Amino acid sequence: MENEHEYDVVVLGAGPVGENVVDRVRAAGLTAAIVEAELLGGECSYWACMPSKALLRPVLARSDARKVPGLREAVYGPLDALDVFAHRDETVGHWKDDGQVDWLDSIGVRVYRGHGSLAGPRRVTVDGPEGEHHVLTARHAVAVCTGSRAVLPPLPGLSGARPWTSREATSADRVPGRLVVVGGGVVGVEMATAWHALGSHVTLLVRGDGLLPRMEPFVGERVAEALRARGADVLTGVSVEAVVRDGGSGPVTVVLEGGDTVEGDEVLFATGRAPRTESVGLETVGLEPGSWLDVDDSLRVTGTDWLYAVGDVNHRALLTHQGKYQARIAGAAIAARAAGGASDAAPWGPLAASADHGAVPQVVFCDPEAAAVGLSLAEAERAGHRVRAVDVEMSSVAGAGLYAQGYRGRARLVVDLDREVLLGATFVGPAVGELLHAATVAVTAEVPVARLWHAVPSYPTLSEVWLRLLEAYRDGADPA
Amino acid sequence: MENEHEYDVVVLGAGPVGENVVDRVRAAGLTAAIVEAELLGGECSYWACMPSKALLRPVLARSDARKVPGLREAVYGPLDALDVFAHRDETVGHWKDDGQVDWLDSIGVRVYRGHGSLAGPRRVTVDGPEGEHHVLTARHAVAVCTGSRAVLPPLPGLSGARPWTSREATSADRVPGRLVVVGGGVVGVEMATAWHALGSHVTLLVRGDGLLPRMEPFVGERVAEALRARGADVLTGVSVEAVVRDGGSGPVTVVLEGGDTVEGDEVLFATGRAPRTESVGLETVGLEPGSWLDVDDSLRVTGTDWLYAVGDVNHRALLTHQGKYQARIAGAAIAARAAGGASDAAPWGPLAASADHGAVPQVVFCDPEAAAVGLSLAEAERAGHRVRAVDVEMSSVAGAGLYAQGYRGRARLVVDLDREVLLGATFVGPAVGELLHAATVAVTAEVPVARLWHAVPSYPTLSEVWLRLLEAYRDGADPA
């Protein structure tokens, strides 16, 4: 039996991004339905940000406490892994989505459980878990918010070796004796950090020169140095050629190019993401299944006037917070167009995701923490800006020595010399994650350096690194 | 024997403020001398910010760690007070100023040890510890940077009771069994927090309605609630009438208005500050000894063209970081005028301490931490602004629950409804100190709320409270 329903807006995917789209269009008075085959709340809530941070916060808190006089002796013991897992399980709501269901109900959004797929312009079909079939028509817009998934490389033996992806790495409730992590991006580094602290011997295998390659090079250097100092093995410039699970349930052997091998009890592949667009009916509207979707700054798919792609699927920035930002803007744009009003898509206006282009922030919860916003020095130079980078060791800040004895960290500003505004900022060191937002405001608002001198950081916080950075810029300025 | 010397600039007081003045005028090529009777480095380095934060960081780290799964059991024991004291002693350089001497030498500033005093316009006399006497002439400017000192009220018995002031409270190396703290401002609250955690039974006596009265009322409420929950006694609306030290060395009895008494082993008076201007020769230049000194935005004393008063002595903001900010500006203004150039004292220019008027940040390292910048709601209303305050419970932020189980905190923005910019921001909760600088940038740079929406906080940090605050402002906006 087929049921036909009409809504103003239909959203595919009920992660944080899809939820924010329906929230905004509902607030504008439109009707909305949302389709989800898995848990409402999405990857981030159950298998990414939330559980990974629940695993990492105890690790970072212990690491910092070990550098605090009066306390350090007390925290030399191992982490209580069972306590950490129990908290992680609670943080993800024991992988149940009742709270999300209640919230969507409360704002009047119809939830369809099942697999949603485009069936031509403005039409979506839903195949439910018990054979039910729905056809949804969208008066104004369909938004694809299906996110991304971990990609496993096509290596001999890999599928039989039952590798971990980010999902298993964030939901496991047993500490492997030896964990091999393949990939030096955010997931690889964060999970290497967590499982090392929970008791695994970790070997991190990285194809490139360093860790966290999308940030300034000194970040990866500091993080690798710290992982090694704590006893993890970090191998860079290595390529995995095959993976073998002994007897199907024994240890895993990872074979590297050149023939060296690394053995582990589990192996995590954190080697990239692909858009979850392979089976959402893109072919019915002339788009390529499995592709990232090109969008304009209102998140509308190029060449359509009704299809939006929001969050990971558009490949602008694979970050929950940036997807939610896009969702607020897409929701507002859909509502403005539905109302027939002038759609103000001017840069930095309410209907343009301008921050995606040069003001995307990211915090990596490794030890030491890493945080960056905007352009790295290399990115700024490649983009043709006339820039200068200023670097400061965090140890020059009084607040750093107070925060943790032997505090080690570094900060960088990338300054546009023509406009004297910040294009980017990067921090690595204990507890720098909360330092980032000041830089995000400065970059986003294009605050002139001359005005930043009047933004006084409180003494003696870590934020006083801002003063050191401005001084470094002033004192190293061209003699002009 | 008398020695006469001439400099471009003479600075009285070698705390952080005086040091920053000479640093800036030296950088501009002027000659400078600095006069100090105590330790170079000032109150902040030896008896205020630095030692107090060295005492408080272990307290706050332990408090936070007790809310972290996997770690909480490990940190239930008492702090190792001897370890904390040893670190505090190291932080203050064991009350020696060799490093400061070396630095002033390195930038070519002549240091005069002894008591400095004005002797008419542009003249300073110095009386050294071994009877030496110098007369210094300042070609361009004299800067009074002598700071402030704790004031003891004129109570019967107080002087014989040997009360602690902030100096003793930050330098003591023995934990009193019972400590009575008089005063609910920053010093009282921070020292009550530290000594309670180090093992004292603390009774905090406050004359007014609440703690930290210069911040939004909810801050003091939360801090008092937390102190009480940990077992401290907090009494508000009480007035001390007399203090008696039993037999001169026994316990101290504090007598309250109405006759109630509180007994302690030590009593700390944290009841206010007075300018250290009573014996710096103000009378020789027509000013009132012991008074706070009125200055313009370049920190020049009203009615003079050569005398500057920088830091606590001008009573604009009794905070080290704000004094250093003023010092950079005063140094630049002195140098610009010495060069005969146009002095650009336009608001927010390099020669005007504009932030003093509405963008002063402060972090209080109590438990929970408190941080505020700009105007409180009441201050903004008194100043005639048309404003709205938006409040958010920090527990609504995913990052808060990850940072500490049962995280309790609150944030407020005060928005100018006419210009749609922030006039103030306040945070209370674990680890909010580093959240403040983003607000300081936003207030100082007068960033429009519409642009702040594009400054995306990283998920899941505590900084995501910014998103909640903007949402609260949007959703509670007047229906217009």
Side-chain angles (χ1 to χ4, degrees):
Chain A
M1 183 186 142
E2 180 155 311
N3 292 295
E4 296 224 13
H5 310 274
E6 195 174 56
Y7 299 92
D8 290 324
V9 180
V10 176
V11 173
L12 296 182
V17 174
E19 290 182 336
N20 271 274
V21 172
V22 294
D23 176 61
R24 290 295 83 209
V25 298
R26 283 293 300 143
L30 302 181
T31 62
I34 195 163
V35 187
E36 175 61 61
E38 299 194 80
L39 291 170
L40 303 173
E43 195 78 9
C44 161
S45 304
Y46 303 105
W47 299 291
C49 324
M50 291 299 287
S52 68
K53 275 60 195 181
L55 294 176
L56 284 161
R57 168 64 186 147
V59 173
L60 302 182
R62 184 180 61 156
S63 180
D64 288 0
R66 283 179 171 178
K67 303 180 191 99
V68 174
L71 196 59
R72 48 193 160 194
E73 298 293 335
V75 293
Y76 255 91
L79 279 177
D80 179 341
L82 292 182
D83 195 15
V84 174
F85 292 151
H87 176 63
R88 185 266 323 271
D89 295 355
E90 200 176 303
T91 299
V92 301
H94 300 274
W95 290 277
K96 288 196 173 60
D97 60 5
D98 308 347
Q100 305 290 319
V101 174
D102 292 346
W103 173 71
L104 287 162
D105 273 354
S106 77
I107 63 167
V109 171
R110 173 68 193 268
V111 176
Y112 290 89
R113 300 270 190 179
H115 179 76
S117 188
L118 289 163
R122 294 191 169 80
R123 275 170 70 89
V124 166
T125 58
V126 182
D127 292 300
E130 287 160 19
E132 54 288 33
H133 185 75
H134 301 277
V135 177
L136 314 183
T137 305
R139 280 182 213 100
H140 295 296
V142 176
V144 179
C145 309
T146 46
S148 64
R149 58 181 168 73
V151 174
L152 288 175
L155 291 175
L158 183 56
S159 61
R162 288 175 288 105
W164 282 5
T165 67
S166 49
R167 285 200 172 197
E168 291 77 18
T170 53
S171 60
D173 54 11
R174 202 178 49 77
V175 180
R178 297 162 303 170
L179 176 66
V180 182
V181 178
V182 182
V186 174
V187 173
V189 166
E190 285 191 346
M191 290 298 97
T193 302
W195 290 100
H196 169 81
L198 287 164
S200 295
H201 178 86
V202 167
T203 304
L204 181 57
L205 304 175
V206 182
R207 187 193 293 257
D209 292 341
L211 309 185
L212 301 173
R214 304 190 59 174
M215 290 190 170
E216 300 282 4
F218 66 81
V219 174
E221 288 162 18
R222 293 291 170 95
V223 171
E225 176 189 300
L227 274 169
R228 287 184 177 123
R230 292 196 299 273
D233 291 322
V234 180
L235 307 181
T236 57
V238 296
S239 201
V240 174
E241 295 226 311
V243 179
V244 184
R245 170 82 71 178
D246 192 28
S249 63
V252 174
T253 301
V254 177
V255 184
L256 304 180
E257 193 178 47
D260 286 349
T261 59
V262 180
E263 202 173 88
D265 297 295
E266 300 292 350
V267 58
L268 161 63
F269 271 78
T271 45
R273 313 279 302 172
R276 293 174 62 145
T277 59
E278 65 282 12
S279 57
V280 294
L282 290 182
E283 65 284 1
T284 70
V285 296
L287 295 166
E288 176 74 19
S291 63
W292 303 103
L293 295 168
D294 278 334
V295 296
D296 63 19
D297 273 4
S298 74
L299 293 314
R300 190 161 59 170
V301 174
T302 311
T304 80
D305 65 356
W306 60 276
L307 184 62
Y308 291 73
V310 194
D312 286 7
V313 289
N314 63 36
H315 210 229
R316 286 161 73 104
L318 279 69
L319 295 161
T320 295
H321 49 268
Q322 210 67 16
K324 293 195 301 180
Y325 163 74
Q326 294 173 6
R328 294 188 290 271
I329 286 163
I334 291 167
R337 287 169 181 146
S343 58
D344 177 10
W348 304 114
L351 308 184
S354 302
D356 283 358
H357 301 300
V360 176
Q362 179 165 25
V363 175
V364 187
F365 293 84
C366 46
D367 179 17
E369 289 182 13
V373 63
L375 305 183
S376 67
L377 175 59
E379 287 170 339
E381 286 174 340
R382 272 201 302 275
H385 296 286
R386 199 170 69 85
V387 294
R388 191 155 63 82
V390 288
D391 288 14
V392 160
E393 285 296 319
M394 297 282 298
S395 55
S396 67
V397 178
L402 292 168
Y403 185 82
Q405 274 197 304
Y407 188 109
R408 187 161 154 66
R410 191 180 182 89
R412 167 174 289 181
L413 297 183
V414 178
V415 184
D416 179 329
L417 294 173
D418 293 317
R419 295 192 299 145
E420 292 241 308
V421 297
L422 307 188
L423 295 177
T426 299
F427 306 87
V428 61
V432 298
E434 301 296 347
L435 267 60
L436 188 63
H437 197 56
T440 305
V441 172
V443 169
T444 303
E446 302 168 293
V447 179
V449 170
R451 183 63 70 96
L452 287 175
W453 275 102
H454 293 276
V456 180
S458 290
Y459 187 79
T461 59
L462 294 173
S463 295
E464 251 204 340
V465 71
W466 278 93
L467 178 56
R468 295 282 101 79
L469 287 162
L470 293 174
E471 289 171 342
Y473 180 68
R474 176 193 68 196
D475 297 339
D478 299 330
Chain B
M1 185 185 137
E2 181 154 313
N3 292 295
E4 296 225 14
H5 311 275
E6 197 174 55
Y7 299 92
D8 290 325
V9 180
V10 176
V11 173
L12 296 183
V17 174
E19 290 183 336
N20 271 274
V21 172
V22 293
D23 177 60
R24 290 295 84 211
V25 298
R26 283 295 298 144
L30 302 182
T31 61
I34 195 163
V35 186
E36 176 60 61
E38 298 193 80
L39 292 170
L40 303 173
E43 195 79 9
C44 162
S45 303
Y46 303 105
W47 298 291
C49 324
M50 291 300 286
S52 68
K53 275 62 197 181
L55 295 176
L56 284 160
R57 168 64 186 148
V59 174
L60 301 183
R62 184 179 63 156
S63 181
D64 289 359
R66 282 179 170 178
K67 303 180 192 100
V68 174
L71 196 58
R72 48 192 160 194
E73 297 293 335
V75 293
Y76 254 91
L79 279 176
D80 179 341
L82 292 182
D83 195 15
V84 173
F85 292 150
H87 176 62
R88 185 266 322 269
D89 295 354
E90 201 177 303
T91 299
V92 299
H94 300 274
W95 291 277
K96 289 196 173 59
D97 60 5
D98 307 349
Q100 303 291 320
V101 174
D102 293 346
W103 173 72
L104 286 163
D105 272 354
S106 76
I107 63 167
V109 171
R110 173 67 194 270
V111 176
Y112 290 88
R113 300 271 190 179
H115 178 75
S117 187
L118 288 164
R122 293 190 169 82
R123 276 170 70 89
V124 166
T125 58
V126 182
D127 292 299
E130 289 160 17
E132 59 280 37
H133 185 75
H134 301 278
V135 177
L136 315 182
T137 307
R139 280 182 214 98
H140 296 298
V142 175
V144 178
C145 308
T146 45
S148 64
R149 58 180 169 75
V151 175
L152 288 176
L155 290 175
L158 184 56
S159 60
R162 286 175 290 103
W164 282 6
T165 66
S166 51
R167 285 200 170 197
E168 291 76 17
T170 54
S171 62
D173 53 11
R174 203 178 50 79
V175 180
R178 297 163 302 170
L179 176 66
V180 182
V181 178
V182 182
V186 174
V187 173
V189 166
E190 285 191 347
M191 290 299 97
T193 302
W195 290 102
H196 170 81
L198 287 164
S200 296
H201 178 85
V202 168
T203 304
L204 181 56
L205 304 177
V206 182
R207 186 193 294 256
D209 291 341
L211 308 185
L212 300 173
R214 305 190 59 172
M215 291 189 168
E216 299 281 6
F218 66 81
V219 173
E221 288 163 18
R222 292 292 170 97
V223 171
E225 174 188 301
L227 273 169
R228 288 185 177 121
R230 292 196 300 275
D233 291 321
V234 179
L235 307 182
T236 55
V238 295
S239 203
V240 175
E241 296 226 312
V243 179
V244 184
R245 170 82 71 178
D246 191 29
S249 62
V252 174
T253 301
V254 177
V255 184
L256 304 180
E257 192 178 47
D260 285 348
T261 61
V262 180
E263 201 172 89
D265 297 294
E266 300 291 351
V267 58
L268 161 63
F269 270 78
T271 44
R273 313 280 301 171
R276 294 173 59 145
T277 59
E278 65 281 13
S279 57
V280 294
L282 291 182
E283 66 283 2
T284 70
V285 296
L287 295 167
E288 176 74 19
S291 63
W292 303 103
L293 294 168
D294 277 335
V295 295
D296 64 21
D297 272 4
S298 73
L299 293 314
R300 191 161 57 170
V301 174
T302 311
T304 80
D305 65 355
W306 60 276
L307 183 63
Y308 292 74
V310 194
D312 286 6
V313 288
N314 63 37
H315 211 228
R316 286 161 74 102
L318 278 68
L319 295 162
T320 295
H321 49 267
Q322 208 67 16
K324 294 195 301 179
Y325 163 74
Q326 294 173 5
R328 294 188 291 272
I329 286 163
I334 290 168
R337 286 171 182 146
S343 58
D344 178 8
W348 303 113
L351 308 185
S354 302
D356 284 356
H357 300 301
V360 176
Q362 179 164 26
V363 175
V364 186
F365 293 83
C366 46
D367 179 13
E369 290 181 14
V373 63
L375 305 183
S376 67
L377 175 59
E379 287 170 340
E381 287 175 340
R382 271 200 303 274
H385 296 286
R386 201 170 66 87
V387 294
R388 191 156 64 83
V390 287
D391 287 13
V392 162
E393 284 297 318
M394 296 283 298
S395 55
S396 67
V397 178
L402 292 167
Y403 185 81
Q405 274 196 305
Y407 189 108
R408 185 160 156 69
R410 191 180 183 88
R412 166 174 291 181
L413 297 183
V414 177
V415 184
D416 179 330
L417 294 172
D418 293 315
R419 296 190 300 144
E420 290 241 311
V421 297
L422 307 188
L423 295 178
T426 300
F427 306 88
V428 61
V432 299
E434 301 296 347
L435 266 60
L436 187 64
H437 198 55
T440 304
V441 172
V443 169
T444 303
E446 302 167 294
V447 179
V449 170
R451 182 63 70 95
L452 288 175
W453 273 102
H454 293 275
V456 181
S458 291
Y459 186 80
T461 59
L462 294 173
S463 296
E464 249 202 340
V465 71
W466 278 93
L467 178 56
R468 295 283 101 81
L469 287 162
L470 292 173
E471 288 172 344
Y473 181 68
R474 176 194 68 197
D475 296 339
D478 299 330

